[in-house]
Amino acid sequence: MKSGLIPSSAVGQKINEWYRYIRTFSVPDAEILKAEIKQELDRMEPDSNLVLYYSLMEFRHQLMLDYLEPLEKLKIEDQPTLSEILDNIDNSQAGLKGLLDYYVNFFKGMFEFDKREFISAITYYKQAEKKLAFVSDHVERAEFYFKVAEAYYHMKQTYFSLIHIKNAYEIYVEQDTYNVRIIQCHFVFGVNLMDERRFEQAAKHFQHALQMAEKEQKAQLVGRALYNLGLCYYNQDRIGEAIPYFERAVDTFESQRIVNSLPQAYFLITLIYFKLGKKEKASEYHKRGYEYAKETDDPVYTVKFEWLQALYQAKPDEETISACFRYLEDKNLYADIEDLALEAAKYYYEQNCFKISSDYFLKVEEARKQIQRSEGLYEIEI
Amino acid sequence: MKSGLIPSSAVGQKINEWYRYIRTFSVPDAEILKAEIKQELDRMEPDSNLVLYYSLMEFRHQLMLDYLEPLEKLKIEDQPTLSEILDNIDNSQAGLKGLLDYYVNFFKGMFEFDKREFISAITYYKQAEKKLAFVSDHVERAEFYFKVAEAYYHMKQTYFSLIHIKNAYEIYVEQDTYNVRIIQCHFVFGVNLMDERRFEQAAKHFQHALQMAEKEQKAQLVGRALYNLGLCYYNQDRIGEAIPYFERAVDTFESQRIVNSLPQAYFLITLIYFKLGKKEKASEYHKRGYEYAKETDDPVYTVKFEWLQALYQAKPDEETISACFRYLEDKNLYADIEDLALEAAKYYYEQNCFKISSDYFLKVEEARKQIQRSEGLYEIEI
């Protein structure tokens, strides 16, 4: 997300609060929050789903006012209780209530997800899914499945991610104008399948994505598809086959000046050429990749390019290598540490430096332990 | 499961088939299958859930016959169509239909799970969960959550397992007579939390389980709780603290002659004493553990004890060690290979044999790749 923009999950959480005020008929609090949220909408990351939620809540807010207004003319003793009015609104607007319940839970889930409170995120997603029948629009439902599939992918709940992305995909393919989302579905299928080391199946999805992205002339997506295909072969240690994909990815990003995606792609193609012992080619890519990392103010890739340079030379520069790992440790980037330490372990193994090799293998073990210990499991009361 | 017994998931799958015949009014086929299933019940692993499903289906079978019988007296042209009769039964017995739908999906899920078709297992579990409202008995619902939580644990879908075991737990604690299930819930909480390296939380659950199991005087569960507590410390490399738990686990299993659980517990306590360099103690435990492995016809633990003996001596017996790994590879026991190779890598590292150490680290990497590539993801049509 661009810096300075408010995440939509935070605004969603505020709308949930607004709904609580509405349901307790706390008019002044509801009005204040409404105004606050309205302002935040202009500074929020784009999210059509949230805008829809806001409009629904505006409508619900007005309903509250409409129900309260005539009461003022009644004597106190003739006025219905607030809970009677609430039941009245809920019953006469069951569809609206269901829809709002859906959004409440969906945005609560997103909010918890951003905080990495995964169990509670899933609990809300499941609640939202139960209310999904109130969402009459197919594509809206597909959006739900898509978002949740993405979240489950990040939580490494692979099978659940695959099931939800399949639900989303099956809706999008029925539409005419959702090719970008279909491409993104293929990406979610593919990355999950890579986690399961189902590389052939993953590659099929990325190939589909590539063809569609080319047809749609979406350079960013073409580049991502190529990059993912490269990754597919790279992760199978078929690095020769990975090269053309990474090179085409780099060309695509470069020709369209999609510079933010360049350091990542340059990093792997450089690493491959170093591993193959093609130092000249590697140095050439290294130079450009390193420049892009600095141009895009990407400190992590800057460090990773320094690490490449330090490791793959006749006499590795141990001091720089250690400094790179220290930097990544300070940032808790354990997945990066795992990858780089494993490459270092293998490199030293090939150089017959077995002591250093096994030291790096031990570092891999340490990093993995840190990764397993992901954050955000709340304590279950016993 | 004891050998020779039919898994209940297979019988469940047959009852599903029987239901299909009932719904198409294929009386002879339904009768044959019914008789076949009735016989299989006697040779099936105990499963009260399945017996319930069978009784319900028997009732539904009888309904079919009751509806068909009066038709014989009618002229052909006056007879309602079969699909009209089906609607009639479904509508007049909506509760029964919902309940049967629940069981159909639950047992389909279990059947797919046994085949390691995890995506399709989850899809059926989700269907079953939607019909859970038709199950009026609390404890029945808890049983569903418990079974599914176990399945998700084995699929490494940790967060989903935790959510479902929490659902089960909250129902069981409201009952008076389900202490064994509550203990088992604590185990499922604990092993999931260990997967997340949340050892403190895991240990709390195992401690609760231990106290309850002692109160209930269930030696098997006392032993498991002690073993799991040992594992909790062992996995944190706090092997000194693990010792008393493993020793108490061994004592418990031994004094109650629960021999099947002995090789596993003996293995880790022996390994610990070898790692601590306490050879005498280690040899003593090794001798007994090895004997139990043979007594219980446990070829995998027999091999693992041979591996222990071969590795932890002044000059490791490389030939035997390799033979052990070959055995485990033949059996596709990659999780065991990962564990043993990692221990070997660390042992050789400490002995300053860095070449062999890094060879074993590479073996760890290979085993992990195999583990990640779990079976049973069906191809998603694109």
Side-chain angles (χ1 to χ4, degrees), chain B residues 279-340:
Chain B
K279 296 220 167 167
E280 236 171 89
K281 200 100 180 153
S283 297
E284 193 186 304
Y285 276 109
H286 184 277
K287 189 166 169 289
R288 282 192 272 159
Y290 192 38
E291 273 165 20
Y292 281 119
K294 286 190 286 189
E295 181 185 330
T296 53
D297 279 327
D298 190 329
V300 175
Y301 269 101
T302 304
V303 163
K304 285 165 92 170
F305 276 104
E306 283 160 9
W307 172 89
L308 276 177
Q309 182 75 42
L311 179 66
Y312 292 100
Q313 46 179 292
K315 197 178 150 11
D317 170 1
E318 268 297 324
E319 209 166 297
T320 304
I321 294 173
S322 300
C324 293
F325 279 113
R326 271 199 306 280
Y327 175 86
L328 297 173
E329 276 155 21
D330 283 346
K331 302 271 170 200
N332 295 328
L333 296 169
Y334 295 108
D336 288 321
I337 295 171
E338 181 193 355
D339 291 344
L340 301 195

Side-chain angles (χ1 to χ4, degrees), chain A residues 157 159 196-198 204-205 208 237 349 354-355 359 365 368-369 372-374 379 382, chain B residues 157 159 196-198 204-205 208 237 349 354-355 359 365 368-369 373-374 379 382:
Chain A
Q157 308 289 293
Y159 302 121
E196 291 286 317
R197 301 189 71 79
R198 300 259 145 195
K204 270 190 205 167
H205 283 285
H208 269 268
D237 295 321
Y349 184 90
F354 300 113
K355 166 79 172 73
D359 282 332
E365 292 308 311
R368 279 190 185 141
K369 284 186 187 172
Q372 276 180 327
R373 194 189 152 75
S374 62
E379 194 120 1
I382 50 176
Chain B
Q157 308 290 293
Y159 302 121
E196 291 286 317
R197 300 190 72 77
R198 300 259 145 195
K204 270 189 206 168
H205 283 284
H208 269 267
D237 295 321
Y349 184 89
F354 300 113
K355 166 78 172 74
D359 282 332
E365 292 308 311
R368 279 189 185 142
K369 285 186 186 172
R373 193 189 152 76
S374 62
E379 193 119 1
I382 50 175

Side-chain angles (χ1 to χ4, degrees), chain A residues 46 61 73 106 120 123 127 135 138 160-161 178 202 213 244 281 290-291 302 312 322 324 328 344 366 375:
Chain A
H61 184 100
K73 294 170 201 149
F106 175 72
S120 95
T123 307
Q127 289 299 325
V135 178
H138 282 305
F160 284 90
S161 181
Y178 282 85
K281 200 100 180 154
Y290 191 38
E291 274 166 19
T302 304
Y312 291 100
S322 300
C324 293
L328 297 173
E366 274 315 302
E375 286 310 307

Side-chain angles (χ1 to χ4, degrees), chain A residues 129-190:
Chain A
E129 198 168 346
K130 278 188 191 161
K131 302 285 177 183
L132 205 52
F134 288 100
V135 178
S136 55
D137 184 53
H138 282 305
V139 173
E140 280 284 312
R141 285 210 291 274
E143 289 288 300
F144 170 79
Y145 290 126
F146 183 84
K147 285 272 172 64
V148 170
E150 276 191 321
Y152 291 164
Y153 165 68
H154 289 293
M155 299 178 196
K156 298 286 169 213
Q157 308 289 293
T158 307
Y159 302 121
F160 284 90
S161 181
L162 282 167
I163 286 169
H164 284 83
I165 201 64
K166 186 165 177 274
N167 290 340
Y169 176 81
E170 285 170 353
I171 296 173
Y172 288 128
V173 286
E174 295 293 317
Q175 322 297 318
D176 287 330
T177 52
Y178 282 85
N179 283 345
V180 168
R181 269 294 196 233
I182 293 174
I183 294 167
Q184 290 169 324
C185 283
H186 283 305
F187 288 159
V188 178
F189 277 122

Side-chain angles (χ1 to χ4, degrees), chain B residues 143-159:
Chain B
E143 289 289 299
F144 169 79
Y145 290 126
F146 183 84
K147 285 272 172 62
V148 170
E150 276 191 322
Y152 291 164
Y153 165 68
H154 289 292
M155 299 178 196
K156 298 286 168 211
Q157 308 290 293
T158 308
Y159 302 121

